[in-house]
PDB file of all heavy atoms in Angstrom:
ATOM      1  N   GLU A   1      -7.622 -13.602   1.314  1.00 90.00           N
ATOM      2  CA  GLU A   1      -8.227 -12.764   2.326  1.00 90.00           C
ATOM      3  C   GLU A   1      -7.677 -11.346   2.112  1.00 90.00           C
ATOM      4  O   GLU A   1      -6.500 -11.075   2.373  1.00 90.00           O
ATOM      5  CB  GLU A   1      -7.876 -13.248   3.732  1.00 90.00           C
ATOM      6  CG  GLU A   1      -8.427 -12.358   4.829  1.00 90.00           C
ATOM      7  CD  GLU A   1      -7.913 -12.794   6.192  1.00 90.00           C
ATOM      8  OE1 GLU A   1      -8.165 -13.974   6.563  1.00 90.00           O
ATOM      9  OE2 GLU A   1      -7.282 -11.991   6.869  1.00 90.00           O
ATOM     10  N   VAL A   2      -8.518 -10.456   1.630  1.00 92.00           N
ATOM     11  CA  VAL A   2      -8.131  -9.076   1.341  1.00 92.00           C
ATOM     12  C   VAL A   2      -8.567  -8.180   2.491  1.00 92.00           C
ATOM     13  O   VAL A   2      -9.723  -8.207   2.899  1.00 92.00           O
ATOM     14  CB  VAL A   2      -8.750  -8.576   0.022  1.00 92.00           C
ATOM     15  CG1 VAL A   2      -8.371  -7.120  -0.237  1.00 92.00           C
ATOM     16  CG2 VAL A   2      -8.349  -9.459  -1.135  1.00 92.00           C
ATOM     17  N   THR A   3      -7.633  -7.417   3.000  1.00 94.00           N
ATOM     18  CA  THR A   3      -7.936  -6.428   4.018  1.00 94.00           C
ATOM     19  C   THR A   3      -7.761  -5.068   3.395  1.00 94.00           C
ATOM     20  O   THR A   3      -6.690  -4.750   2.885  1.00 94.00           O
ATOM     21  CB  THR A   3      -6.992  -6.576   5.235  1.00 94.00           C
ATOM     22  OG1 THR A   3      -7.113  -7.896   5.748  1.00 94.00           O
ATOM     23  CG2 THR A   3      -7.336  -5.568   6.302  1.00 94.00           C
ATOM     24  N   THR A   4      -8.821  -4.278   3.391  1.00 96.00           N
ATOM     25  CA  THR A   4      -8.775  -2.978   2.785  1.00 96.00           C
ATOM     26  C   THR A   4      -8.685  -1.855   3.821  1.00 96.00           C
ATOM     27  O   THR A   4      -9.482  -1.834   4.771  1.00 96.00           O
ATOM     28  CB  THR A   4      -9.960  -2.743   1.822  1.00 96.00           C
ATOM     29  OG1 THR A   4      -9.868  -1.436   1.273  1.00 96.00           O
ATOM     30  CG2 THR A   4     -11.299  -2.904   2.517  1.00 96.00           C
ATOM     31  N   MET A   5      -7.723  -0.994   3.639  1.00 95.00           N
ATOM     32  CA  MET A   5      -7.542   0.129   4.523  1.00 95.00           C
ATOM     33  C   MET A   5      -8.286   1.360   4.024  1.00 95.00           C
ATOM     34  O   MET A   5      -8.423   2.340   4.736  1.00 95.00           O
ATOM     35  CB  MET A   5      -6.060   0.474   4.654  1.00 95.00           C
ATOM     36  CG  MET A   5      -5.228  -0.587   5.314  1.00 95.00           C
ATOM     37  SD  MET A   5      -3.478  -0.126   5.415  1.00 95.00           S
ATOM     38  CE  MET A   5      -3.540   1.178   6.664  1.00 95.00           C
ATOM     39  N   GLY A   6      -8.730   1.315   2.764  1.00 95.00           N
ATOM     40  CA  GLY A   6      -9.387   2.484   2.192  1.00 95.00           C
ATOM     41  C   GLY A   6      -8.368   3.571   1.906  1.00 95.00           C
ATOM     42  O   GLY A   6      -7.184   3.321   1.689  1.00 95.00           O
ATOM     43  N   ALA A   7      -8.823   4.831   1.955  1.00 96.00           N
ATOM     44  CA  ALA A   7      -7.943   5.977   1.697  1.00 96.00           C
ATOM     45  C   ALA A   7      -7.061   6.235   2.926  1.00 96.00           C
ATOM     46  O   ALA A   7      -7.554   6.463   4.018  1.00 96.00           O
ATOM     47  CB  ALA A   7      -8.791   7.207   1.379  1.00 96.00           C
ATOM     48  N   ARG A   8      -5.787   6.164   2.711  1.00 95.00           N
ATOM     49  CA  ARG A   8      -4.776   6.375   3.764  1.00 95.00           C
ATOM     50  C   ARG A   8      -3.559   7.058   3.160  1.00 95.00           C
ATOM     51  O   ARG A   8      -3.420   7.126   1.944  1.00 95.00           O
ATOM     52  CB  ARG A   8      -4.315   5.035   4.366  1.00 95.00           C
ATOM     53  CG  ARG A   8      -5.376   4.182   4.935  1.00 95.00           C
ATOM     54  CD  ARG A   8      -5.867   4.724   6.243  1.00 95.00           C
ATOM     55  NE  ARG A   8      -7.012   3.935   6.670  1.00 95.00           N
ATOM     56  CZ  ARG A   8      -7.478   3.966   7.886  1.00 95.00           C
ATOM     57  NH1 ARG A   8      -6.944   4.733   8.799  1.00 95.00           N
ATOM     58  NH2 ARG A   8      -8.538   3.241   8.215  1.00 95.00           N
ATOM     59  N   THR A   9      -2.656   7.458   3.986  1.00 95.00           N
ATOM     60  CA  THR A   9      -1.384   7.949   3.477  1.00 95.00           C
ATOM     61  C   THR A   9      -0.511   6.735   3.202  1.00 95.00           C
ATOM     62  O   THR A   9      -0.741   5.640   3.763  1.00 95.00           O
ATOM     63  CB  THR A   9      -0.678   8.851   4.490  1.00 95.00           C
ATOM     64  OG1 THR A   9      -0.304   8.075   5.642  1.00 95.00           O
ATOM     65  CG2 THR A   9      -1.555  10.025   4.906  1.00 95.00           C
ATOM     66  N   GLU A  10       0.464   6.932   2.354  1.00 93.00           N
ATOM     67  CA  GLU A  10       1.376   5.814   2.070  1.00 93.00           C
ATOM     68  C   GLU A  10       2.125   5.406   3.336  1.00 93.00           C
ATOM     69  O   GLU A  10       2.398   4.227   3.560  1.00 93.00           O
ATOM     70  CB  GLU A  10       2.347   6.191   0.959  1.00 93.00           C
ATOM     71  CG  GLU A  10       3.195   5.029   0.503  1.00 93.00           C
ATOM     72  CD  GLU A  10       4.036   5.336  -0.712  1.00 93.00           C
ATOM     73  OE1 GLU A  10       4.119   6.508  -1.125  1.00 93.00           O
ATOM     74  OE2 GLU A  10       4.599   4.383  -1.278  1.00 93.00           O
ATOM     75  N   GLU A  11       2.417   6.348   4.178  1.00 94.00           N
ATOM     76  CA  GLU A  11       3.125   6.051   5.432  1.00 94.00           C
ATOM     77  C   GLU A  11       2.276   5.155   6.331  1.00 94.00           C
ATOM     78  O   GLU A  11       2.774   4.216   6.961  1.00 94.00           O
ATOM     79  CB  GLU A  11       3.499   7.346   6.169  1.00 94.00           C
ATOM     80  CG  GLU A  11       4.575   8.150   5.477  1.00 94.00           C
ATOM     81  CD  GLU A  11       4.069   8.922   4.250  1.00 94.00           C
ATOM     82  OE1 GLU A  11       2.848   9.206   4.151  1.00 94.00           O
ATOM     83  OE2 GLU A  11       4.899   9.191   3.359  1.00 94.00           O
ATOM     84  N   GLU A  12       0.958   5.430   6.426  1.00 94.00           N
ATOM     85  CA  GLU A  12       0.061   4.592   7.219  1.00 94.00           C
ATOM     86  C   GLU A  12       0.019   3.174   6.657  1.00 94.00           C
ATOM     87  O   GLU A  12       0.038   2.192   7.401  1.00 94.00           O
ATOM     88  CB  GLU A  12      -1.353   5.179   7.230  1.00 94.00           C
ATOM     89  CG  GLU A  12      -1.487   6.420   8.060  1.00 94.00           C
ATOM     90  CD  GLU A  12      -2.870   7.048   7.930  1.00 94.00           C
ATOM     91  OE1 GLU A  12      -3.327   7.257   6.781  1.00 94.00           O
ATOM     92  OE2 GLU A  12      -3.487   7.319   8.978  1.00 94.00           O
ATOM     93  N   PHE A  13      -0.051   3.065   5.323  1.00 94.00           N
ATOM     94  CA  PHE A  13      -0.074   1.772   4.677  1.00 94.00           C
ATOM     95  C   PHE A  13       1.213   0.994   4.992  1.00 94.00           C
ATOM     96  O   PHE A  13       1.156  -0.170   5.388  1.00 94.00           O
ATOM     97  CB  PHE A  13      -0.227   1.945   3.155  1.00 94.00           C
ATOM     98  CG  PHE A  13       0.075   0.693   2.358  1.00 94.00           C
ATOM     99  CD1 PHE A  13      -0.786  -0.390   2.399  1.00 94.00           C
ATOM    100  CD2 PHE A  13       1.225   0.620   1.605  1.00 94.00           C
ATOM    101  CE1 PHE A  13      -0.512  -1.539   1.671  1.00 94.00           C
ATOM    102  CE2 PHE A  13       1.509  -0.522   0.878  1.00 94.00           C
ATOM    103  CZ  PHE A  13       0.648  -1.607   0.914  1.00 94.00           C
ATOM    104  N   LEU A  14       2.358   1.638   4.816  1.00 92.00           N
ATOM    105  CA  LEU A  14       3.635   0.943   5.064  1.00 92.00           C
ATOM    106  C   LEU A  14       3.770   0.545   6.526  1.00 92.00           C
ATOM    107  O   LEU A  14       4.295  -0.535   6.821  1.00 92.00           O
ATOM    108  CB  LEU A  14       4.801   1.853   4.634  1.00 92.00           C
ATOM    109  CG  LEU A  14       4.894   2.076   3.115  1.00 92.00           C
ATOM    110  CD1 LEU A  14       5.958   3.121   2.816  1.00 92.00           C
ATOM    111  CD2 LEU A  14       5.137   0.780   2.370  1.00 92.00           C
ATOM    112  N   SER A  15       3.287   1.356   7.416  1.00 91.00           N
ATOM    113  CA  SER A  15       3.328   1.015   8.850  1.00 91.00           C
ATOM    114  C   SER A  15       2.471  -0.199   9.151  1.00 91.00           C
ATOM    115  O   SER A  15       2.881  -1.119   9.846  1.00 91.00           O
ATOM    116  CB  SER A  15       2.846   2.225   9.670  1.00 91.00           C
ATOM    117  OG  SER A  15       2.812   1.882  11.040  1.00 91.00           O
ATOM    118  N   ALA A  16       1.267  -0.241   8.571  1.00 92.00           N
ATOM    119  CA  ALA A  16       0.378  -1.391   8.768  1.00 92.00           C
ATOM    120  C   ALA A  16       0.979  -2.652   8.135  1.00 92.00           C
ATOM    121  O   ALA A  16       0.843  -3.750   8.691  1.00 92.00           O
ATOM    122  CB  ALA A  16      -1.000  -1.111   8.169  1.00 92.00           C
ATOM    123  N   LEU A  17       1.625  -2.469   7.024  1.00 90.00           N
ATOM    124  CA  LEU A  17       2.264  -3.615   6.334  1.00 90.00           C
ATOM    125  C   LEU A  17       3.350  -4.223   7.189  1.00 90.00           C
ATOM    126  O   LEU A  17       3.584  -5.450   7.151  1.00 90.00           O
ATOM    127  CB  LEU A  17       2.815  -3.150   4.979  1.00 90.00           C
ATOM    128  CG  LEU A  17       3.124  -4.191   3.930  1.00 90.00           C
ATOM    129  CD1 LEU A  17       1.881  -5.020   3.592  1.00 90.00           C
ATOM    130  CD2 LEU A  17       3.655  -3.509   2.688  1.00 90.00           C
ATOM    131  N   GLN A  18       4.019  -3.410   7.997  1.00 88.00           N
ATOM    132  CA  GLN A  18       5.072  -3.912   8.871  1.00 88.00           C
ATOM    133  C   GLN A  18       4.519  -4.746  10.041  1.00 88.00           C
ATOM    134  O   GLN A  18       5.223  -5.555  10.608  1.00 88.00           O
ATOM    135  CB  GLN A  18       5.865  -2.720   9.467  1.00 88.00           C
ATOM    136  CG  GLN A  18       6.634  -1.919   8.456  1.00 88.00           C
ATOM    137  CD  GLN A  18       7.826  -2.692   7.881  1.00 88.00           C
ATOM    138  OE1 GLN A  18       8.445  -3.457   8.599  1.00 88.00           O
ATOM    139  NE2 GLN A  18       8.107  -2.479   6.623  1.00 88.00           N
ATOM    140  N   GLU A  19       3.221  -4.539  10.358  1.00 86.00           N
ATOM    141  CA  GLU A  19       2.619  -5.263  11.482  1.00 86.00           C
ATOM    142  C   GLU A  19       2.488  -6.750  11.240  1.00 86.00           C
ATOM    143  O   GLU A  19       2.469  -7.536  12.188  1.00 86.00           O
ATOM    144  CB  GLU A  19       1.233  -4.695  11.798  1.00 86.00           C
ATOM    145  CG  GLU A  19       1.232  -3.339  12.421  1.00 86.00           C
ATOM    146  CD  GLU A  19      -0.172  -2.849  12.738  1.00 86.00           C
ATOM    147  OE1 GLU A  19      -1.137  -3.661  12.664  1.00 86.00           O
ATOM    148  OE2 GLU A  19      -0.313  -1.675  13.065  1.00 86.00           O
ATOM    149  N   ALA A  20       2.270  -7.150  10.007  1.00 79.00           N
ATOM    150  CA  ALA A  20       2.047  -8.576   9.712  1.00 79.00           C
ATOM    151  C   ALA A  20       2.740  -8.954   8.414  1.00 79.00           C
ATOM    152  O   ALA A  20       2.841  -8.140   7.494  1.00 79.00           O
ATOM    153  CB  ALA A  20       0.539  -8.830   9.594  1.00 79.00           C
ATOM    154  N   PRO A  21       3.199 -10.166   8.340  1.00 79.00           N
ATOM    155  CA  PRO A  21       3.870 -10.620   7.105  1.00 79.00           C
ATOM    156  C   PRO A  21       2.878 -10.980   6.004  1.00 79.00           C
ATOM    157  O   PRO A  21       2.601 -12.127   5.739  1.00 79.00           O
ATOM    158  CB  PRO A  21       4.660 -11.844   7.566  1.00 79.00           C
ATOM    159  CG  PRO A  21       3.844 -12.386   8.712  1.00 79.00           C
ATOM    160  CD  PRO A  21       3.210 -11.200   9.367  1.00 79.00           C
ATOM    161  N   VAL A  22       2.276  -9.958   5.386  1.00 88.00           N
ATOM    162  CA  VAL A  22       1.341 -10.166   4.287  1.00 88.00           C
ATOM    163  C   VAL A  22       1.802  -9.345   3.097  1.00 88.00           C
ATOM    164  O   VAL A  22       2.565  -8.405   3.235  1.00 88.00           O
ATOM    165  CB  VAL A  22      -0.105  -9.758   4.671  1.00 88.00           C
ATOM    166  CG1 VAL A  22      -0.627 -10.610   5.819  1.00 88.00           C
ATOM    167  CG2 VAL A  22      -0.220  -8.293   4.979  1.00 88.00           C
ATOM    168  N   ALA A  23       1.313  -9.712   1.936  1.00 89.00           N
ATOM    169  CA  ALA A  23       1.604  -8.934   0.750  1.00 89.00           C
ATOM    170  C   ALA A  23       0.726  -7.669   0.793  1.00 89.00           C
ATOM    171  O   ALA A  23      -0.272  -7.624   1.497  1.00 89.00           O
ATOM    172  CB  ALA A  23       1.266  -9.745  -0.497  1.00 89.00           C
ATOM    173  N   GLY A  24       1.131  -6.650   0.037  1.00 92.00           N
ATOM    174  CA  GLY A  24       0.380  -5.414   0.046  1.00 92.00           C
ATOM    175  C   GLY A  24       0.325  -4.776  -1.315  1.00 92.00           C
ATOM    176  O   GLY A  24       1.150  -5.043  -2.188  1.00 92.00           O
ATOM    177  N   ALA A  25      -0.688  -3.921  -1.501  1.00 93.00           N
ATOM    178  CA  ALA A  25      -0.837  -3.153  -2.732  1.00 93.00           C
ATOM    179  C   ALA A  25      -1.197  -1.724  -2.365  1.00 93.00           C
ATOM    180  O   ALA A  25      -2.168  -1.474  -1.657  1.00 93.00           O
ATOM    181  CB  ALA A  25      -1.926  -3.761  -3.612  1.00 93.00           C
ATOM    182  N   TRP A  26      -0.393  -0.793  -2.837  1.00 94.00           N
ATOM    183  CA  TRP A  26      -0.615   0.637  -2.648  1.00 94.00           C
ATOM    184  C   TRP A  26      -0.969   1.224  -3.990  1.00 94.00           C
ATOM    185  O   TRP A  26      -0.239   1.062  -4.962  1.00 94.00           O
ATOM    186  CB  TRP A  26       0.643   1.306  -2.068  1.00 94.00           C
ATOM    187  CG  TRP A  26       0.583   2.800  -2.127  1.00 94.00           C
ATOM    188  CD1 TRP A  26       1.268   3.608  -2.963  1.00 94.00           C
ATOM    189  CD2 TRP A  26      -0.236   3.653  -1.308  1.00 94.00           C
ATOM    190  NE1 TRP A  26       0.927   4.921  -2.732  1.00 94.00           N
ATOM    191  CE2 TRP A  26       0.006   4.981  -1.720  1.00 94.00           C
ATOM    192  CE3 TRP A  26      -1.147   3.429  -0.290  1.00 94.00           C
ATOM    193  CZ2 TRP A  26      -0.621   6.075  -1.133  1.00 94.00           C
ATOM    194  CZ3 TRP A  26      -1.771   4.516   0.292  1.00 94.00           C
ATOM    195  CH2 TRP A  26      -1.498   5.818  -0.117  1.00 94.00           C
ATOM    196  N   LEU A  27      -2.106   1.927  -4.078  1.00 95.00           N
ATOM    197  CA  LEU A  27      -2.570   2.547  -5.313  1.00 95.00           C
ATOM    198  C   LEU A  27      -2.609   4.057  -5.148  1.00 95.00           C
ATOM    199  O   LEU A  27      -3.099   4.564  -4.133  1.00 95.00           O
ATOM    200  CB  LEU A  27      -3.974   2.058  -5.693  1.00 95.00           C
ATOM    201  CG  LEU A  27      -4.076   0.606  -6.125  1.00 95.00           C
ATOM    202  CD1 LEU A  27      -4.176  -0.310  -4.934  1.00 95.00           C
ATOM    203  CD2 LEU A  27      -5.273   0.434  -7.023  1.00 95.00           C
ATOM    204  N   SER A  28      -2.066   4.758  -6.137  1.00 94.00           N
ATOM    205  CA  SER A  28      -2.096   6.214  -6.129  1.00 94.00           C
ATOM    206  C   SER A  28      -2.129   6.685  -7.571  1.00 94.00           C
ATOM    207  O   SER A  28      -2.085   5.904  -8.492  1.00 94.00           O
ATOM    208  CB  SER A  28      -0.850   6.759  -5.422  1.00 94.00           C
ATOM    209  OG  SER A  28       0.329   6.356  -6.076  1.00 94.00           O
ATOM    210  N   ASP A  29      -2.276   7.991  -7.726  1.00 90.00           N
ATOM    211  CA  ASP A  29      -2.273   8.522  -9.086  1.00 90.00           C
ATOM    212  C   ASP A  29      -1.296   9.668  -9.206  1.00 90.00           C
ATOM    213  O   ASP A  29      -0.966  10.341  -8.241  1.00 90.00           O
ATOM    214  CB  ASP A  29      -3.659   8.920  -9.548  1.00 90.00           C
ATOM    215  CG  ASP A  29      -4.226  10.104  -8.768  1.00 90.00           C
ATOM    216  OD1 ASP A  29      -3.798  10.333  -7.634  1.00 90.00           O
ATOM    217  OD2 ASP A  29      -5.107  10.775  -9.308  1.00 90.00           O
ATOM    218  N   SER A  30      -0.829   9.850 -10.425  1.00 83.00           N
ATOM    219  CA  SER A  30       0.077  10.930 -10.739  1.00 83.00           C
ATOM    220  C   SER A  30      -0.285  11.436 -12.117  1.00 83.00           C
ATOM    221  O   SER A  30      -0.199  10.690 -13.094  1.00 83.00           O
ATOM    222  CB  SER A  30       1.524  10.421 -10.704  1.00 83.00           C
ATOM    223  OG  SER A  30       2.416  11.424 -11.104  1.00 83.00           O
ATOM    224  N   ASP A  31      -0.763  12.670 -12.179  1.00 82.00           N
ATOM    225  CA  ASP A  31      -1.164  13.270 -13.463  1.00 82.00           C
ATOM    226  C   ASP A  31      -2.168  12.408 -14.215  1.00 82.00           C
ATOM    227  O   ASP A  31      -2.072  12.231 -15.425  1.00 82.00           O
ATOM    228  CB  ASP A  31       0.067  13.539 -14.341  1.00 82.00           C
ATOM    229  CG  ASP A  31       1.037  14.489 -13.684  1.00 82.00           C
ATOM    230  OD1 ASP A  31       0.582  15.440 -13.000  1.00 82.00           O
ATOM    231  OD2 ASP A  31       2.264  14.293 -13.831  1.00 82.00           O
ATOM    232  N   GLY A  32      -3.143  11.828 -13.484  1.00 79.00           N
ATOM    233  CA  GLY A  32      -4.160  11.032 -14.129  1.00 79.00           C
ATOM    234  C   GLY A  32      -3.760   9.611 -14.463  1.00 79.00           C
ATOM    235  O   GLY A  32      -4.532   8.863 -15.070  1.00 79.00           O
ATOM    236  N   HIS A  33      -2.564   9.200 -14.068  1.00 85.00           N
ATOM    237  CA  HIS A  33      -2.091   7.838 -14.330  1.00 85.00           C
ATOM    238  C   HIS A  33      -2.152   7.039 -13.031  1.00 85.00           C
ATOM    239  O   HIS A  33      -1.716   7.509 -11.979  1.00 85.00           O
ATOM    240  CB  HIS A  33      -0.653   7.829 -14.851  1.00 85.00           C
ATOM    241  CG  HIS A  33      -0.524   8.481 -16.181  1.00 85.00           C
ATOM    242  ND1 HIS A  33      -0.917   7.869 -17.348  1.00 85.00           N
ATOM    243  CD2 HIS A  33      -0.063   9.693 -16.532  1.00 85.00           C
ATOM    244  CE1 HIS A  33      -0.705   8.692 -18.365  1.00 85.00           C
ATOM    245  NE2 HIS A  33      -0.182   9.806 -17.883  1.00 85.00           N
ATOM    246  N   VAL A  34      -2.672   5.820 -13.125  1.00 84.00           N
ATOM    247  CA  VAL A  34      -2.760   4.950 -11.961  1.00 84.00           C
ATOM    248  C   VAL A  34      -1.406   4.316 -11.680  1.00 84.00           C
ATOM    249  O   VAL A  34      -0.756   3.819 -12.590  1.00 84.00           O
ATOM    250  CB  VAL A  34      -3.834   3.846 -12.213  1.00 84.00           C
ATOM    251  CG1 VAL A  34      -3.845   2.843 -11.075  1.00 84.00           C
ATOM    252  CG2 VAL A  34      -5.207   4.478 -12.394  1.00 84.00           C
ATOM    253  N   ARG A  35      -1.024   4.339 -10.418  1.00 88.00           N
ATOM    254  CA  ARG A  35       0.213   3.706  -9.990  1.00 88.00           C
ATOM    255  C   ARG A  35      -0.140   2.620  -8.993  1.00 88.00           C
ATOM    256  O   ARG A  35      -0.870   2.884  -8.018  1.00 88.00           O
ATOM    257  CB  ARG A  35       1.139   4.712  -9.314  1.00 88.00           C
ATOM    258  CG  ARG A  35       1.693   5.772 -10.273  1.00 88.00           C
ATOM    259  CD  ARG A  35       2.611   6.727  -9.585  1.00 88.00           C
ATOM    260  NE  ARG A  35       3.655   5.997  -8.890  1.00 88.00           N
ATOM    261  CZ  ARG A  35       4.276   6.446  -7.809  1.00 88.00           C
ATOM    262  NH1 ARG A  35       3.977   7.609  -7.299  1.00 88.00           N
ATOM    263  NH2 ARG A  35       5.225   5.736  -7.229  1.00 88.00           N
ATOM    264  N   ILE A  36       0.336   1.404  -9.241  1.00 86.00           N
ATOM    265  CA  ILE A  36       0.137   0.301  -8.317  1.00 86.00           C
ATOM    266  C   ILE A  36       1.514  -0.171  -7.874  1.00 86.00           C
ATOM    267  O   ILE A  36       2.357  -0.514  -8.692  1.00 86.00           O
ATOM    268  CB  ILE A  36      -0.616  -0.874  -8.970  1.00 86.00           C
ATOM    269  CG1 ILE A  36      -1.976  -0.406  -9.480  1.00 86.00           C
ATOM    270  CG2 ILE A  36      -0.773  -2.017  -7.979  1.00 86.00           C
ATOM    271  CD1 ILE A  36      -2.695  -1.457 -10.314  1.00 86.00           C
ATOM    272  N   ARG A  37       1.736  -0.182  -6.590  1.00 88.00           N
ATOM    273  CA  ARG A  37       3.012  -0.680  -6.047  1.00 88.00           C
ATOM    274  C   ARG A  37       2.704  -1.890  -5.199  1.00 88.00           C
ATOM    275  O   ARG A  37       1.969  -1.809  -4.210  1.00 88.00           O
ATOM    276  CB  ARG A  37       3.686   0.401  -5.207  1.00 88.00           C
ATOM    277  CG  ARG A  37       5.063  -0.047  -4.710  1.00 88.00           C
ATOM    278  CD  ARG A  37       5.828   1.035  -4.024  1.00 88.00           C
ATOM    279  NE  ARG A  37       6.097   2.112  -4.970  1.00 88.00           N
ATOM    280  CZ  ARG A  37       6.021   3.395  -4.667  1.00 88.00           C
ATOM    281  NH1 ARG A  37       5.693   3.766  -3.480  1.00 88.00           N
ATOM    282  NH2 ARG A  37       6.294   4.314  -5.575  1.00 88.00           N
ATOM    283  N   LEU A  38       3.257  -3.034  -5.600  1.00 87.00           N
ATOM    284  CA  LEU A  38       3.052  -4.276  -4.862  1.00 87.00           C
ATOM    285  C   LEU A  38       4.214  -4.524  -3.920  1.00 87.00           C
ATOM    286  O   LEU A  38       5.368  -4.277  -4.265  1.00 87.00           O
ATOM    287  CB  LEU A  38       2.931  -5.453  -5.823  1.00 87.00           C
ATOM    288  CG  LEU A  38       1.736  -5.435  -6.757  1.00 87.00           C
ATOM    289  CD1 LEU A  38       1.767  -6.658  -7.667  1.00 87.00           C
ATOM    290  CD2 LEU A  38       0.430  -5.395  -5.990  1.00 87.00           C
ATOM    291  N   HIS A  39       3.889  -5.037  -2.748  1.00 87.00           N
ATOM    292  CA  HIS A  39       4.876  -5.367  -1.736  1.00 87.00           C
ATOM    293  C   HIS A  39       4.746  -6.851  -1.404  1.00 87.00           C
ATOM    294  O   HIS A  39       3.636  -7.351  -1.228  1.00 87.00           O
ATOM    295  CB  HIS A  39       4.662  -4.549  -0.453  1.00 87.00           C
ATOM    296  CG  HIS A  39       4.835  -3.088  -0.644  1.00 87.00           C
ATOM    297  ND1 HIS A  39       5.971  -2.428  -0.303  1.00 87.00           N
ATOM    298  CD2 HIS A  39       4.007  -2.139  -1.154  1.00 87.00           C
ATOM    299  CE1 HIS A  39       5.841  -1.144  -0.577  1.00 87.00           C
ATOM    300  NE2 HIS A  39       4.666  -0.936  -1.100  1.00 87.00           N
ATOM    301  N   GLY A  40       5.869  -7.508  -1.261  1.00 81.00           N
ATOM    302  CA  GLY A  40       5.854  -8.920  -0.855  1.00 81.00           C
ATOM    303  C   GLY A  40       5.640  -9.017   0.649  1.00 81.00           C
ATOM    304  O   GLY A  40       5.611  -8.004   1.354  1.00 81.00           O
ATOM    305  N   PRO A  41       5.488 -10.239   1.159  1.00 77.00           N
ATOM    306  CA  PRO A  41       5.284 -10.440   2.591  1.00 77.00           C
ATOM    307  C   PRO A  41       6.413  -9.873   3.461  1.00 77.00           C
ATOM    308  O   PRO A  41       6.219  -9.638   4.639  1.00 77.00           O
ATOM    309  CB  PRO A  41       5.199 -11.957   2.744  1.00 77.00           C
ATOM    310  CG  PRO A  41       4.795 -12.438   1.412  1.00 77.00           C
ATOM    311  CD  PRO A  41       5.409 -11.474   0.417  1.00 77.00           C
ATOM    312  N   ASP A  42       7.556  -9.645   2.863  1.00 75.00           N
ATOM    313  CA  ASP A  42       8.677  -9.049   3.583  1.00 75.00           C
ATOM    314  C   ASP A  42       8.686  -7.526   3.483  1.00 75.00           C
ATOM    315  O   ASP A  42       9.645  -6.877   3.875  1.00 75.00           O
ATOM    316  CB  ASP A  42      10.003  -9.609   3.069  1.00 75.00           C
ATOM    317  CG  ASP A  42      10.175  -9.372   1.567  1.00 75.00           C
ATOM    318  OD1 ASP A  42       9.284  -8.758   0.936  1.00 75.00           O
ATOM    319  OD2 ASP A  42      11.191  -9.815   1.036  1.00 75.00           O
ATOM    320  N   SER A  43       7.627  -6.953   2.930  1.00 73.00           N
ATOM    321  CA  SER A  43       7.431  -5.506   2.740  1.00 73.00           C
ATOM    322  C   SER A  43       8.270  -4.918   1.613  1.00 73.00           C
ATOM    323  O   SER A  43       8.197  -3.741   1.328  1.00 73.00           O
ATOM    324  CB  SER A  43       7.708  -4.709   4.028  1.00 73.00           C
ATOM    325  OG  SER A  43       6.815  -5.098   5.022  1.00 73.00           O
TER     326      SER A  43
END
């Protein structure tokens, strides 16, 4: 079950991740490179 927040700030994502014990994925870019940061259910 994937819940998508769409475009958000990383702070909004981390705050939402704290609300429920689920895994998370934050995607961003730096100089044209894709960055994916995975979080476990414990954030």
Side-chain angles (χ1 to χ4, degrees):
E1 177 186 302
V2 178
T3 302
T4 179
M5 295 180 71
R8 303 286 174 165
T9 66
E10 187 172 10
E11 291 76 24
E12 289 174 309
F13 166 72
L14 292 173
S15 177
L17 198 57
Q18 295 290 325
E19 288 181 11
V22 299
W26 168 253
L27 291 84
S28 61
D29 65 337
S30 176
D31 299 324
H33 295 284
V34 174
R35 293 181 54 208
I36 302 172
R37 183 173 297 140
L38 296 179
H39 296 260
D42 57 1
S43 298

